[in-house]
């Protein structure tokens, strides 16, 4: 089911997408996405609240990547609300944005892992500041603290927009569009399908 409010005939109803859509080889598409996510570091993680069905987003720091860079790992307190959300519905979205307006959206499915070997591998001492030391010798914010887990996101699809243009060039494109009515060419808008991501995992394994 789709939504439409008008008929534009043989002209594109979404000229921005048509103008900025950028087809490129799989390797370049993935590597550019991975580089952008690494540079951003922080992302908004969106989950669905089980009791209401409403969506909620939280800022999270990217802890690590697997699957050739496309599957994402985040530290979590296992006793927090987001783990409750994911137990109810594992579908998840991770969104990255920088100050230039470049962005990436990764949709997938999440699992919560409490495997201590994995926790030790990716543990950061900074986690102690977030979970605290309860003073009982067990919940101390260290790698053996059972509250410290990881959210592993297996990417299913990804969409992103990046640019190689300067701010001035992009501003000129937008200004030209305002005058001429033509969509500005300011981004490289790319999509990665589930099939492409599966192919990349096989290539990079």
């Amino acid at each position: 089911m789709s939504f439409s409010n008008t008929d534009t005939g043989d002209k594109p109803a979404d000229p921005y997408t048509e103008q900025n859509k950028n087809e490129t080889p799989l390797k370049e598409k993935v590597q550019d996405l991975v580089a952008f996510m690494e540079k951003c570091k922080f992302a908004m993680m969106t989950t669905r609240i089980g009791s209401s069905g409403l969506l909620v987003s939280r800022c999270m720091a990217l802890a690590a990547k697997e699957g050739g860079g496309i599957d994402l790992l985040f530290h979590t307190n296992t006793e927090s609300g987001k783990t409750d959300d994911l137990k109810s519905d594992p579908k998840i979205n991770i969104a990255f944005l920088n100050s230039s307006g470049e962005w990436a959206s990764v949709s997938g499915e999440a699992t919560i892992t409490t495997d201590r070997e994995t926790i030790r591998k990716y543990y950061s001492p900074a986690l102690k500041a977030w979970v605290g030391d309860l003073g009982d010798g067990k919940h101390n914010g260290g790698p053996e603290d059972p509250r410290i887990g990881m959210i592993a996101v297996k990417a299913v699809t990804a969409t992103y927009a990046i640019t190689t243009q300067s701010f001035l060039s992009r501003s000129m494109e937008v200004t030209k569009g305002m005058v001429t009515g033509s969509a500005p060419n300011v981004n490289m808008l790319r999509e990665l399908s589930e099939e492409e991501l599966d192919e990349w995992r096989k290539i990079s394994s």
Side-chain angles (χ1 to χ4, degrees):
M1 181 181 295
S2 60
F3 176 86
S4 178
N5 194 46
T6 190
D7 182 0
T8 60
D10 60 356
K11 296 182 179 180
D14 184 3
Y16 165 78
T17 298
E18 290 295 319
Q19 181 75 351
N20 289 271
K21 191 180 295 182
N22 180 262
E23 295 299 333
T24 193
L26 177 59
K27 182 178 181 180
E28 183 179 346
K29 276 203 291 188
V30 172
Q31 290 180 339
D32 284 349
L33 171 62
V34 172
F36 178 71
M37 293 189 297
E38 288 177 343
K39 189 174 181 180
C40 285
K41 177 62 176 176
F42 292 97
M44 295 301 290
M45 174 184 289
T46 301
T47 57
R48 186 180 299 278
I49 302 171
S51 59
S52 66
L54 296 174
L55 301 177
V56 59
S57 297
R58 303 169 176 89
C59 184
M60 301 286 288
L62 182 61
K65 303 180 301 304
E66 296 181 335
I70 57 176
D71 298 321
L72 312 178
L73 290 162
F74 300 87
H75 293 114
T76 187
N77 183 335
T78 60
E79 312 310 299
S80 66
K82 56 186 169 292
T83 53
D84 292 337
D85 297 347
L86 293 171
K87 183 178 180 181
S88 172
D89 185 349
K91 291 183 175 59
I92 195 168
N93 181 266
I94 308 296
F96 297 84
L97 176 69
N98 69 15
S99 59
S100 297
E102 297 173 297
W103 57 270
S105 172
V106 178
S107 296
E109 297 213 355
T111 55
I112 303 164
T113 179
T114 55
D115 173 67
R116 297 335 291 177
E117 185 177 345
T118 302
I119 304 305
R120 293 186 203 104
K121 180 179 180 181
Y122 296 118
Y123 176 78
S124 167
L127 291 168
K128 189 171 184 178
W130 296 101
V131 299
D133 184 346
L134 304 187
D136 59 4
K138 181 178 181 180
H139 304 98
N140 58 10
E144 306 305 317
D145 188 328
R147 295 174 299 163
I148 295 178
M150 300 205 78
I151 295 173
V153 179
K154 182 179 181 181
V156 176
T157 63
T159 305
Y160 68 98
I162 58 174
T163 185
T164 57
Q165 299 180 35
S166 67
F167 176 77
L168 179 59
S169 295
R170 296 168 75 192
S171 298
M172 291 174 63
E173 272 287 309
V174 172
T175 301
K176 184 177 75 174
M178 293 170 61
V179 174
T180 65
S182 59
N185 185 355
V186 292
N187 290 316
M188 294 183 291
L189 182 61
R190 298 170 177 170
E191 296 182 352
L192 284 156
S193 67
E194 183 174 5
E195 292 74 22
E196 287 178 308
L197 293 176
D198 284 340
E199 181 182 349
W200 179 254
R201 290 186 187 94
K202 293 176 184 176
I203 293 172
S204 59
S205 63

